[in-house]
Amino acid sequence: MNRELVFLRAFAVATVVGVTFIASTAFKKSGNQKFSEIDVERINIVEKDGTIKMVITNVERFPNGTDIINGRPTNEGRKKRSGMLFFNEDGIECGGFIYDGQKTENGHSSGLSLTYDQYDGDQVMQLLTQDVGQGDNRFVSSTLAFNDRPSKESQIKTAEIMKELEELRKKDPKAMQEKYKEYEAQGLLGGVPRVMLGKSRSQNNGLFLFDDKGMPRAMFYVDKENNAKLDFFDDKGNTIASFPEKTK
């Protein structure tokens, strides 16, 4: 009996030492590792200090809601999609690449978006494609857009404000609109398009320019009838000049 106990104890110790050695050498192995193929649901690219700089993920593991990255909350209302998210040296999200596409009951819906954000804010540049089919109709739009963002916005503060506005909307929509204007005047909310290059929803292909309130002011485009046009607008959206001139 004593010999058996001594043997079992020695075996247990040897097993623990062996497993520890294998685990430590496996995780300490340095240098590049080569794989022919790898299946993974999510990859976090990190710095030596643990700061996440990029996330490559499938739909299920796309961070939103209660997920915390670099000690910061993520966008709760953001739809889960496949793609990538980028983070700067301060650990703040600064852009991303997302895409989706699937059949619907009467057609299909798909899209792709590559964005770059203002520091601690939202997107100032976006490459966007949308493709929606309904029955025999199909709408495809591809654009490169540049936006102005509020000077004092921050991602965490914006999330707090949007929650506040949503609760206010349920009680008093008019009061919500007034509150939104207050935050907009403070430089905390807002954001407007300034330049768009591509195909508009009206199927015009061209260059579209907007003022600092997001109103269209000039368009140089080819319409769906293949006519080349140059239009100018006032601050209320009224046409003030066109070339060639519009016939009455």
Side-chain angles (χ1 to χ4, degrees):
M1 181 63 72
N2 289 335
R3 290 180 179 178
E4 291 179 354
L5 289 174
V6 170
F7 172 77
L8 290 174
R9 288 171 182 170
F11 178 77
V13 171
T15 301
V16 171
V17 171
V19 170
T20 302
F21 174 77
I22 293 172
S24 61
T25 54
F27 286 104
K28 287 182 179 179
K29 189 174 183 180
S30 60
N32 295 337
Q33 303 299 308
K34 185 176 180 180
F35 301 92
S36 298
E37 185 174 337
I38 182 171
D39 294 333
V40 63
E41 295 184 1
R42 173 167 155 173
I43 296 175
N44 297 327
I45 308 299
V46 301
E47 298 290 356
K48 288 185 178 181
D49 64 0
T51 301
I52 293 179
K53 296 301 296 291
M54 180 188 293
V55 173
I56 306 173
T57 178
N58 65 5
V59 175
E60 181 62 28
R61 292 184 176 273
F62 190 89
N64 72 353
T66 59
D67 295 314
I68 301 295
I69 296 182
N70 297 327
R72 297 168 59 91
T74 53
N75 190 328
E76 292 185 12
R78 182 167 53 190
K79 180 181 177 181
K80 287 179 174 288
R81 292 182 174 92
S82 303
M84 297 185 293
L85 293 176
F86 312 132
F87 299 85
N88 61 24
E89 278 69 20
D90 294 330
I92 302 172
E93 185 179 331
C94 57
F97 169 63
I98 56 175
Y99 55 92
D100 61 11
Q102 60 183 343
K103 289 185 176 180
T104 60
E105 184 177 350
N106 193 34
H108 68 269
S109 175
S110 68
L112 178 151
S113 174
L114 173 64
T115 60
Y116 294 93
D117 297 341
Q118 176 172 284
Y119 178 82
D120 198 15
D122 209 343
Q123 53 197 315
V124 290
M125 188 180 88
Q126 181 179 33
L127 179 64
L128 176 68
T129 293
Q130 294 176 300
D131 182 351
V132 179
Q134 292 182 338
D136 295 330
N137 299 317
R138 186 173 189 176
F139 166 76
V140 179
S141 174
S142 298
T143 58
L144 174 62
F146 299 88
N147 309 311
D148 277 352
R149 298 299 310 169
S151 60
K152 299 178 181 178
E153 77 170 346
S154 72
Q155 294 177 5
I156 293 177
K157 182 64 176 178
T158 298
E160 294 174 353
I161 291 175
M162 297 311 294
K163 281 185 178 181
E164 175 190 349
L165 293 177
E166 177 60 22
E167 291 300 318
L168 193 56
R169 183 192 64 81
K170 297 175 182 178
K171 301 175 183 178
D172 189 342
K174 186 175 180 180
M176 183 274 289
Q177 294 176 0
E178 293 298 322
K179 194 66 177 179
Y180 184 97
K181 291 179 181 178
E182 289 181 19
Y183 284 126
E184 193 174 34
Q186 295 172 29
L188 296 171
L189 283 186
V192 295
R194 295 306 303 268
V195 180
M196 189 184 82
L197 178 66
K199 181 186 289 186
S200 68
R201 289 185 175 276
S202 55
Q203 302 302 290
N204 295 326
N205 291 271
L207 174 65
F208 308 88
L209 305 177
F210 305 81
D211 62 20
D212 60 4
K213 296 180 177 59
M215 292 294 294
R217 300 304 294 268
M219 299 180 181
F220 178 47
Y221 61 98
V222 175
D223 66 17
K224 57 186 178 181
E225 282 80 31
N226 291 322
N227 299 307
K229 297 182 179 181
L230 178 59
D231 295 333
F232 297 92
F233 308 89
D234 62 19
D235 58 1
K236 294 181 175 57
N238 301 310
T239 303
I240 56 176
S242 292
F243 180 82
E245 293 184 1
K246 293 181 179 180
T247 57
K248 296 183 180 180

